[in-house]
Amino acid sequence: MTVSSPRILACQILTALMQHQGSLASHLNAQVLSQTTGPALLQEFCYGVCRWQPRLQFYLQQLMDKPLRAKDLDVQCLLLVGLYQLLFMRTPDHACVNETVAAVDTLGKPWAKALVNAVLRNAQRQQAELQALAERDYSVWYAHPEWLLQQLKQDWPQHYRAILDGNNQRAPMTLRVNQRKASRTECQALLAAEGIVAKPGLLAPNSLYLAQPMDAVGLPGFVEGMVSVQDEASQLVASVLPLTPGLRVLDACAAPGGKTCALLEAEPTLQVLALDNEARRLPRILQNLDRLQLHAEVRCADITQEPAAEFGRFDRILLDVPCSATGVIRRHPDIKLLRTPAEVELLVAKQRALLAAAWPLLATGGYLLYSTCSLLKAENSAQIAQFVEHHADAEPVALSIEAALACDFGVQLLPQADGPDGFYYALLRKRGVQLA
Ligand SMILES: C[S@@+](CC[C@H](N)C(=O)[O-])C[C@H]1O[C@@H](n2cnc3c(N)ncnc32)[C@H](O)[C@@H]1O
């Protein structure tokens, strides 16, 4: 096995990302992390450069007379890593410059050594001027692509700067305590006995925030199913969807099963059918159910394609649809590089199709919970407004979640430091249609 330096691996991963190949999560898999001398540094470089890329790229433009050629994207990525380390990490300047210049050898482009040295040394000298220039442009300063910044500004004129700030923070690690196995207080005490500091979340009754993120498998009680890793906003699913014993529930977009399991922990007698159209994602649902000793029927299916009669009627439907994930940018900063407005349009159409296909499967008097980890109104409130307008039997149900903003339809949580991710919920009840 070849062991690579974190800087070189980060450079390769960022080059692939900028060519729209894969995602950070797919590149930073266990095998890749085991191939480097510094897995934590590799993650820091990759996440940091993605988080600040629009600002780092701006600095690079200021520091170079002309842009690099497309075939020298690897040199550009090496420079971005160097700039990130110099301007955002506490590495001594000389070490950062020397190590970045030395890494040029591995790229086989000796001509770039002088360039990398000059750019980083100038960045070091001109830090104050660069920062003053960056502050003049919100897209650069808040490090968001212009289209996304404008969309967030349009959708959340009062809150968009707080959102941009929130997107640039590091996400906390949140646990869901399995109330079937332990109370939150008991679990907190068990963690404390192992030296793990955790504090209760303010919204979800079984949530605990860890002071320091750690490997989930190493958590006391994880293997035995006492805790799961899940953001607090997602955990709220079990509080928002009205549950009673024995209900028939469809989780139509279920993988990896986080919400399926949260619902079953709250009410294990539910008869859950968990569907996902991606077969490769189904084993994750099964593993989670197995670890938590819960039961659901798990199938690979797409409700927009299969005949509705196949599934029968459900008392509750959870539609946790695929979305732009703009509420979880702090966890997946590569979204800033990868997401495009055209993709958002496709997602909106997909969500509309899923809503239309799910609705006939809901029994009269039943509830459908629509959720996304998006901050964009087109995927959230406007999507539900459009649906309600065309479905006379869809009755919006008011939701009250502390800290959430009330929308025309549904409620929106914004990403909060040491709090939940950005998340949207809308609850619809199916009423009997009155015949004229
Ligand atoms: C936001 S994720 C669901 C997360 C999951 N509910 C949880 O809490 O762990 C959306 C899921 O929808 C699935 N999906 C996308 N289109 C679908 C479709 N037409 N039918 C069923 N599942 C679909 C994706 O494969 C993805 O796993």
Side-chain angles (χ1 to χ4, degrees):
M1 184 181 73
T2 330
V3 176
S4 303
S5 90
R7 190 180 308 272
I8 294 299
L9 268 179
C11 183
Q12 288 165 357
I13 289 172
L14 291 163
T15 304
L17 281 178
M18 290 201 194
Q19 292 169 331
H20 283 247
Q21 292 164 12
S23 64
L24 258 189
S26 65
H27 286 296
L28 285 171
N29 56 44
Q31 196 199 344
V32 170
L33 290 171
S34 71
Q35 280 169 7
T36 171
T37 45
L41 191 55
L42 169 62
Q43 286 177 307
E44 177 69 41
F45 284 157
C46 289
Y47 276 84
V49 169
C50 286
R51 189 168 284 129
W52 295 106
Q53 191 265 350
R55 199 191 300 176
L56 294 169
Q57 194 65 48
F58 171 82
Y59 289 157
L60 203 49
Q61 270 160 20
Q62 306 304 309
L63 292 161
M64 290 178 58
D65 296 333
K66 56 180 180 98
L68 285 158
R69 296 165 299 182
K71 65 176 184 166
D72 296 322
L73 187 56
D74 52 353
V75 177
Q76 182 181 321
C77 289
L78 186 64
L79 278 163
L80 292 175
V81 172
L83 284 174
Y84 173 70
Q85 194 180 18
L86 197 62
L87 305 175
F88 289 85
M89 291 173 67
R90 291 201 191 115
T91 319
D93 290 357
H94 64 274
C96 165
V97 176
N98 292 346
E99 284 165 26
T100 314
V101 172
V104 174
D105 286 335
T106 322
L107 303 185
K109 296 184 176 175
W111 56 266
K113 273 194 154 177
L115 174 79
V116 169
N117 187 49
V119 166
L120 294 183
R121 291 209 184 278
N122 284 335
Q124 193 185 357
R125 279 191 284 266
Q126 297 168 22
Q127 256 183 71
E129 294 93 315
L130 287 169
Q131 184 165 324
L133 280 175
E135 279 173 19
R136 291 189 197 162
D137 180 336
Y138 272 11
S139 169
V140 169
W141 184 247
Y142 286 109
H144 277 63
E146 185 67 27
W147 73 269
L148 181 56
L149 186 140
Q150 291 307 331
Q151 195 57 59
L152 290 170
K153 186 176 179 182
Q154 186 180 319
D155 287 355
W156 301 104
Q158 313 286 327
H159 302 95
Y160 79 100
R161 285 171 63 179
I163 293 173
L164 300 172
D165 258 338
N167 287 348
N168 288 335
Q169 283 160 12
R170 287 163 200 255
M173 180 166 172
T174 317
L175 304 182
R176 183 186 76 236
V177 179
N178 183 352
Q179 57 195 290
R180 304 283 143 193
K181 304 252 178 192
S183 72
R184 177 160 72 172
T185 317
E186 286 165 345
C187 181
Q188 193 180 9
L190 272 168
L191 293 172
E194 302 274 331
I196 301 168
V197 179
K199 68 171 192 243
L202 301 175
L203 307 175
N206 299 308
S207 59
L208 279 177
Y209 282 82
L210 295 189
Q212 288 296 327
M214 61 176 287
D215 181 27
V217 181
L219 284 163
F222 180 82
V223 175
E224 297 77 19
M226 185 183 71
V227 288
S228 300
V229 177
Q230 186 176 45
D231 181 72
E232 191 177 11
S234 291
Q235 295 185 37
L236 287 170
V237 69
S239 315
V240 175
L241 189 62
L243 299 176
T244 50
L247 291 175
R248 194 155 185 259
V249 180
L250 171 65
D251 186 351
C253 298
K259 295 187 191 66
T260 316
C261 293
L263 291 174
L264 281 164
E265 277 176 13
E267 187 45 77
T269 63
L270 298 174
Q271 300 169 55
V272 178
L273 173 60
L275 305 180
D276 204 280
N277 71 336
E278 282 203 38
R280 69 182 173 88
R281 287 167 65 80
L282 295 186
R284 288 286 306 285
I285 311 180
L286 293 166
Q287 281 159 15
N288 280 323
L289 287 166
D290 190 45
R291 183 177 59 83
L292 297 163
Q293 292 130 47
L294 298 167
H295 176 74
E297 186 186 343
V298 178
R299 281 168 59 179
C300 183
D302 177 345
I303 52 165
T304 64
Q305 304 294 325
E306 311 253 337
E310 154 103 2
F311 300 105
R313 291 285 172 110
F314 295 87
D315 306 301
R316 303 284 183 266
I317 295 180
L318 171 62
L319 210 51
D320 188 34
V321 291
C323 71
S324 61
T326 38
V328 291
I329 285 178
R330 60 183 188 167
R331 288 187 196 282
H332 306 285
D334 48 331
I335 290 170
K336 291 180 178 182
L337 274 68
L338 301 178
R339 195 70 70 238
T340 64
E343 259 180 321
V344 175
E345 270 181 41
L346 288 175
L347 285 162
V348 170
K350 194 169 190 180
Q351 293 153 1
R352 191 179 310 138
L354 279 161
L355 268 164
W359 192 248
L361 307 182
L362 186 65
T364 302
Y367 291 90
L368 181 147
L369 182 62
Y370 175 88
S371 61
T372 73
C373 57
S374 166
L375 298 172
L376 306 182
K377 289 202 171 164
E379 300 179 86
N380 297 342
S381 179
Q383 180 74 273
I384 296 301
Q386 205 261 1
F387 181 79
V388 168
E389 195 185 314
H390 292 96
H391 293 79
D393 57 348
E395 178 190 343
V397 180
L399 291 176
S400 147
I401 298 176
E402 219 184 305
L405 301 172
C407 305
D408 292 343
F409 294 92
V411 291
Q412 179 78 56
L413 282 156
L414 302 180
Q416 289 162 43
D418 299 323
D421 285 339
F423 211 83
Y424 173 82
Y425 282 113
L427 186 63
L428 300 172
R429 185 178 167 276
K430 194 176 210 173
R431 56 183 156 216
V433 181
Q434 287 173 3
L435 299 173

